[in-house]
């Protein structure tokens, strides 16, 4: 079931996406952090972190994603790859709040 949902999500993203992991583990100073889903995009040559949120968008999601992207660039990105990209998917949003947070 999860594999089918991931396959559908990849198809919706577009061309060039390869699934790397669900709950991709990052560590910093003996603390663990988990990215909901991690992909690699062949077209942009970058890791793509996806965070799934069941509720409304919160501004703090942006700083958490920035933290994850920095860790990915330091720990997982390979030579020749571009900086990591983050996608936050929420069930609902206030457009003004999202614009200001970004």
């Amino acid at each position: 079931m999860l594999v089918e949902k991931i396959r559908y999500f990849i198809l919706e993203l577009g061309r060039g996406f390869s699934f790397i992991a669900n709950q991709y583990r990052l560590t910093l100073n003996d603390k663990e952090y988990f990215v909901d889903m991690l992909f690699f995009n062949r077209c942009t040559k970058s890791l793509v972190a996806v965070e799934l949120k069941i509720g409304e968008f919160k501004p703090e999601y942006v700083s958490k994603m920035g933290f994850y992207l920095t860790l990915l660039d330091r720990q997982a990105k390979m030579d020749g790859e571009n900086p990591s990209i983050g996608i936050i998917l929420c069930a609902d949003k206030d457009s003004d709040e999202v614009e200001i947070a970004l």
Side-chain angles (χ1 to χ4, degrees), residues 1 12 14-15 19-20 34 43 51 55 58 75 77 80 82-83 87 93 95 102:
M1 184 73 158
E12 288 296 311
R15 295 174 29 103
F19 179 72
I20 295 177
F34 295 90
C43 301
E51 280 293 295
K58 296 179 183 176
Q75 298 178 6
K77 185 178 85 157
N82 292 314
I87 299 173
K93 68 175 178 4
S95 296
L102 295 174

Side-chain angles (χ1 to χ4, degrees), residues 74-89:
R74 289 182 181 182
Q75 298 178 6
K77 185 178 85 157
M78 297 182 148
D79 291 338
E81 293 178 355
N82 292 314
S84 300
I85 297 169
I87 299 173
I88 304 168
L89 296 175

Side-chain angles (χ1 to χ4, degrees), residues 49-65:
V50 177
E51 280 293 295
L52 305 170
K53 304 298 181 187
I54 58 172
E56 187 175 15
F57 173 82
K58 296 179 183 176
E60 53 264 29
Y61 295 161
V62 176
S63 61
K64 184 177 180 184
M65 179 58 80

Side-chain angles (χ1 to χ4, degrees), residues 5-93:
K5 288 181 180 181
I6 291 169
R7 184 177 298 136
Y8 177 76
F9 182 75
I10 293 171
L11 291 173
E12 288 296 311
L13 286 173
R15 295 174 29 103
F17 280 89
S18 298
F19 179 72
I20 295 177
N22 186 41
Q23 293 297 306
Y24 185 82
R25 186 173 73 100
L26 297 164
T27 58
L28 179 67
N29 298 331
D30 297 324
K31 293 181 186 175
E32 293 183 323
Y33 304 92
F34 295 90
V35 175
D36 287 340
M37 290 192 289
L38 186 63
F39 298 88
F40 184 78
N41 184 277
R42 293 177 59 210
C43 301
T44 63
K45 295 182 183 167
S46 58
L47 294 167
V48 179
V50 177
E51 280 293 295
L52 305 170
K53 304 298 181 187
I54 58 172
E56 187 175 15
F57 173 82
K58 296 179 183 176
E60 53 264 29
Y61 295 161
V62 176
S63 61
K64 184 177 180 184
M65 179 58 80
F67 177 79
Y68 287 163
L69 295 178
T70 300
L71 282 178
L72 284 168
D73 286 347
R74 289 182 181 182
Q75 298 178 6
K77 185 178 85 157
M78 297 182 148
D79 291 338
E81 293 178 355
N82 292 314
S84 300
I85 297 169
I87 299 173
I88 304 168
L89 296 175
C90 298
D92 197 17
K93 68 175 178 4

